Amino acid sequence: MLNNLLAILLFPGFLFLSIFGLVAEYADRKIYARLQNRVGPPIFQPLADFIKLIAKEEIIPTDANPTMFKLAPLFALTAVVTAIFNIPLWNTGALFSFTGDAIVVLYLLTLPTLCFFIGGWYSSSLFARIGSVRAVTALFSYEVPLFIGVLSSAMLADSWSLSEMAVFYEKHPWFWLFNLLGFGIALTALLGKLEKGPFDIPEAETEIVAGGFTEYSGRFLAILRMAIDIEMVVGASLLAAVFLPFGLNSGPVLGFILYVVKVFFIVALLSLMRTIVARLRIDQMIEFCWKYLVPLGMVQLLINFIIKGVILQ
Amino acid sequence: MKFGHTRLGKMAVEVLKTFFQKPNTVLYPAEKIEMPEKFRGKLKFYPEKCIGCQLCVKDCPSNAIKIKKLANGKFEAEIDLDKCIYCAQCVDSCPRKALEATKDVELAQLDSKKLKIFINAGPQEKT
Amino acid sequence: MSEEEKEFRIPIGPQHPALKEPVSFSLALRGEKIMGVDVRLGYNHRGIEKACEERTYIQDVYLVERICGICSHAHSTCFVQAVEEIAGLEVPKRALYIRTLIGELERVHSHLLWLGVAAHEIGFDTLLMFTWRDREVVMDILALLTGNRVNYGINTIGGVRRDIRGEDIKEILKATDILEDRTKYYIEVATQETTVINRLSGVGILSHEDALKLGAVGPTARASNVARDIRKDDPYAAYGEMDFQVITDDHNDVYGRAVVRLKELLESYKMIRQAVGNLPEGPIAVKAPRKIPAGEAVSRYEAPRGEDMHYVKSNGTDKPERVKVRAPTLANVQAVRHMLRDRYLADMPIVVAAIDPCFSCTDRLISIDRQDKNTTEVIEWQALRAYSIEWYKKRGIDFSKLGRSNA
């Protein structure tokens, strides 16, 4: 019992995720800057931003609903921290695993977007409302490709539990190479979930100031940004567990290092992808996701069907 | 609407090449850039050459320079560094070349009184 | 207006991250679609025209230059050309070539700046960083030649103030080669990158007839196949002896405007090389009198944003009697209202950025001195327009069909 509590609060729970989230944000910003021939922030910059935001005054608009306005960031943070416990990180067993926990993790990762919608809507500012509506509209475009990507890998392993998938891929090494198309699709969909890259429409700075986050300041903005950073780490961990499940039984130290390398690799890919494209309009994003990503997902599913039928029988 | 061949992520190659190059940023104030020859920075006044014709005062677009007569043949210039627009029109208007534009650009001060400088031929430059 | 979706007004400006300068666009939105636009200008009004009347001509050269930071040489040259015409001064050829050279270098810097800003408005920050990094090359050359990176102060009444030496010419040619390589790469990126084409094409459509009716100038008009360029139509400085093409495009949208500006960059490099290669020997200025004789003159200049017009009236003293500035953005702002109808909110920043707005240039005030009633009043744009149509009707010309679309 005490073991579990320490795991939830410290490692690999809240404290570890916070630090890892800040370091991942630094890596993302540094890579983004270096790709653009700039210097980029120093390593303590995300921590400095966090401390500065906590020290500032919160301003809640008069027309806003104070309860929802304050609770939305907290719910987002809780949801992403809860999701990490079902993902196998550096060995084939997650902290808590049960059948169908892949779906639970995907559901928990959807909650932050809904919390951003609620926070933006109840801010009752025009820009925030437009931003929050855009966030939910985008949700309808990238959720399905993400699900299909994770589903294709789960289908090959014949299980809905992430830990059992990890055990399967350990027994059949190199089978994760069949899922590379799904990896690409899930990576693009993850860009949409994290509101980065060509899909940062809900937070388009040049159009609607800051979207759903416009009215947030002080502590709540600090919690929101922490939730976004941790969402990036958890999303990358999910992708690492589903699509790069190799070396999971290499022992505690090597396994941990391998896990960190995998997460930074995915973060680097995300940074590269958001550097080389412009922002899409919301209607273009819906068109792109449904016209290109979903059919590619179907192709990946078909490939995995064939492999399951032919090779594994 | 006809376009040639299109590519997604056209800048990828260039961007990856840039990743391994030195950043283009100059790390000021650790590194400083030298201003070119003709750069119009802070003014320099030679009191011994001034004849007090006041042409520089007349031509200054922002009334930044004033010439005061201290004694016969001795003049003092009062330059407001915050009014000056560093156009160097006074440098061109002076018939005796008593004014010169230097390359000094680091003129920020915490005390606004320090931005008014007096230059005369006395033993020290009063600020 | 249907009752299903309510319309609400969203204020873009005066303070907004999309705008580089204060201006108020009040958009009526239904969902993401723009139903109407209301424009209010005037936030950048500084009283420059009045200030010009209280300063001598030589002081006014520097004041007029500071109307805008990006097209400063345009305003300064336009003013100085008007004054030189009134005074009947014959500017030496070398000075004309140097003015042209600095004018083209300014066009390069302005178009590279525009490309970066347009990329930022569509969320493509990488292109912003790259183009502004390359713009530093031009700024360094301008600092080398004139003594400052913006507000060059190279013009004086009767010629230019600084000469160009042999080693400067070598630097100019080196920089032009580097920039030409980079510009060709940016043309490739702008015309081949899928997301950029998606955001820029089909947006901000202005047909050829509408461009003529609404009086668009500069690259905004040239992208709708209106071949108007003051450098060819009414050559000034050394443009009469330069060999270049007027770039037009028939896409009629923001993509066309981007293509026009990028191709104009290549023409500018050609002109810079010609100016440097054919630089005639001689003095760089003639002595100008302090008191300009009475007269009036209109001078036009092709600024990077379009046609810039200055009107100067002198009365024999050393201060002008009236200076009037008509900046190109004023002519293009009406086109923005027309272009934004029935488009999405996400297109607003790029459509406004596509006319390359410079509201510092634009904000002027019209005040009418009624000589019969001895009062001064401030008149609204519509009333002034109606008055001028009446004035011309009495003289037999009917302008009432011009310039009004159903916006």
Side-chain angles (χ1 to χ4, degrees), chain A residues 37 134 206 275 279 281, chain C residues 18 32 122 126 133 199 347:
Chain A
N37 213 196
R134 280 182 178 184
T206 53
T275 316
R279 183 187 306 139
R281 266 204 321 257
Chain C
E32 286 265 332
I122 59 175
T126 311
R133 178 196 66 182
R199 283 306 295 273
D347 295 330

Side-chain angles (χ1 to χ4, degrees), chain B residues 60-74:
Chain B
C60 177
S62 48
N63 296 326
I65 184 168
K66 295 191 189 16
I67 304 284
K68 220 165 55 167
K69 183 167 173 174
L70 296 175
N72 243 341
K74 291 221 180 306

Side-chain angles (χ1 to χ4, degrees), chain B residues 1 3 5-10 14 18 24 36 38-40 58-61 85 87-89 92, chain C residues 58-59 62 66 130 133 145-148 151-152 161-163 182 185 188 192-194 251 255 290:
Chain B
M1 210 63 63
F3 301 101
H5 76 281
T6 59
R7 270 179 41 195
L8 190 63
K10 164 93 188 155
E14 177 81 20
T18 321
N24 202 269
K38 295 189 211 163
F39 200 82
R40 304 193 294 262
K58 244 194 273 186
D59 278 345
C60 177
I85 59 173
C87 65
Q89 177 62 42
D92 290 345
Chain C
I58 194 70
Q59 290 173 327
Y62 298 101
R66 279 153 178 78
F130 273 67
R133 178 196 66 182
L145 292 177
T146 66
N148 203 354
N151 293 338
Y152 317 121
R161 288 202 300 161
R162 297 280 181 270
D163 203 355
R182 302 302 304 165
Y185 177 67
E188 274 179 42
Q192 289 174 13
E193 167 67 47
T194 325
H251 278 108
Y255 179 76
R290 280 197 182 257

Side-chain angles (χ1 to χ4, degrees), chain C residues 195-268:
Chain C
T195 45
V196 169
I197 297 179
N198 271 341
R199 283 306 295 273
L200 294 188
S201 66
V203 171
I205 298 193
L206 190 69
S207 67
H208 181 90
E209 297 74 33
D210 280 332
L212 286 172
K213 239 178 22 168
L214 292 167
V217 293
T220 313
R222 291 201 279 276
S224 303
N225 224 350
V226 175
R228 261 195 208 142
D229 189 333
I230 305 291
R231 296 174 289 171
K232 269 273 194 277
D233 300 337
D234 190 6
Y236 52 91
Y239 286 105
E241 301 169 17
M242 294 261 175
D243 171 34
F244 66 100
Q245 287 173 321
V246 173
I247 308 282
T248 58
D249 195 75
D250 56 358
H251 278 108
N252 291 356
D253 58 12
V254 174
Y255 179 76
R257 283 163 216 148
V259 168
V260 164
R261 287 191 176 97
L262 284 168
K263 288 197 186 155
E264 274 186 4
L265 275 175
L266 293 177
E267 293 293 315
S268 287

